[in-house]
């Protein structure tokens, strides 16, 4: 989570998502904190589609996104002109 968060803070959303994929490829299940860091990275990078996809993946995995995660997704959609998505 810390590495994903660091990537996000430096605008490297693509590296953050690559790290998330690496976690999954090693057979580990990301937790809410890990997804939060990845979604935050997507938000900072303006990647609204990826942020929404991560929310869907979380729910499919049985994890419940937090209110702040939904707010971040709404914010990035608005900034990307996707407020109706």
């Amino acid at each position: 989570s810390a590495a994903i968060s660091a990537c996000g803070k430096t605008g490297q959303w693509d590296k953050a998502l690559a790290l998330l994929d690496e976690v999954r490829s090693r057979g580990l299940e990301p937790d809410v904190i890990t997804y939060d860091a990845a979604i935050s990275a997507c938000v900072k990078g303006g990647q609204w589609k990826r942020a929404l996809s991560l929310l869907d993946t979380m729910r499919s995995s049985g994890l419940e996104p937090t209110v702040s995660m939904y707010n971040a997704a709404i914010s990035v959609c608005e900034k990307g002109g996707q407020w109706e998505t």
Side-chain angles (χ1 to χ4, degrees), residues 53-66:
S53 176
L54 288 173
L55 287 174
D56 286 340
T57 300
M58 279 185 72
R59 288 190 299 260
S60 296
S61 298
L63 297 173
E64 185 61 36
T66 65

Side-chain angles (χ1 to χ4, degrees), residues 50-82:
R50 288 184 166 93
L52 294 179
S53 176
L54 288 173
L55 287 174
D56 286 340
T57 300
M58 279 185 72
R59 288 190 299 260
S60 296
S61 298
L63 297 173
E64 185 61 36
T66 65
V67 171
S68 65
M69 293 167 128
Y70 283 117
N71 287 339
I74 291 167
S75 175
V76 76
C77 286
E78 185 272 328
K79 288 176 185 171
Q82 302 299 319

Side-chain angles (χ1 to χ4, degrees), residues 2-84:
I4 293 172
S5 181
C7 289
K9 289 178 182 175
T10 58
Q12 299 178 48
W13 61 267
D14 52 340
K15 288 186 181 179
L17 294 182
L19 287 171
L20 180 63
D21 287 341
E22 170 119 4
V23 167
R24 287 185 243 175
S25 73
R26 293 178 181 248
L28 302 171
E29 196 60 43
D31 60 9
V32 172
I33 294 168
T34 305
Y35 277 109
D36 186 40
I39 290 169
S40 293
C42 291
V43 168
K44 185 164 178 110
Q47 300 297 311
W48 63 270
K49 286 183 183 179
R50 288 184 166 93
L52 294 179
S53 176
L54 288 173
L55 287 174
D56 286 340
T57 300
M58 279 185 72
R59 288 190 299 260
S60 296
S61 298
L63 297 173
E64 185 61 36
T66 65
V67 171
S68 65
M69 293 167 128
Y70 283 117
N71 287 339
I74 291 167
S75 175
V76 76
C77 286
E78 185 272 328
K79 288 176 185 171
Q82 302 299 319
W83 59 272
E84 293 184 31

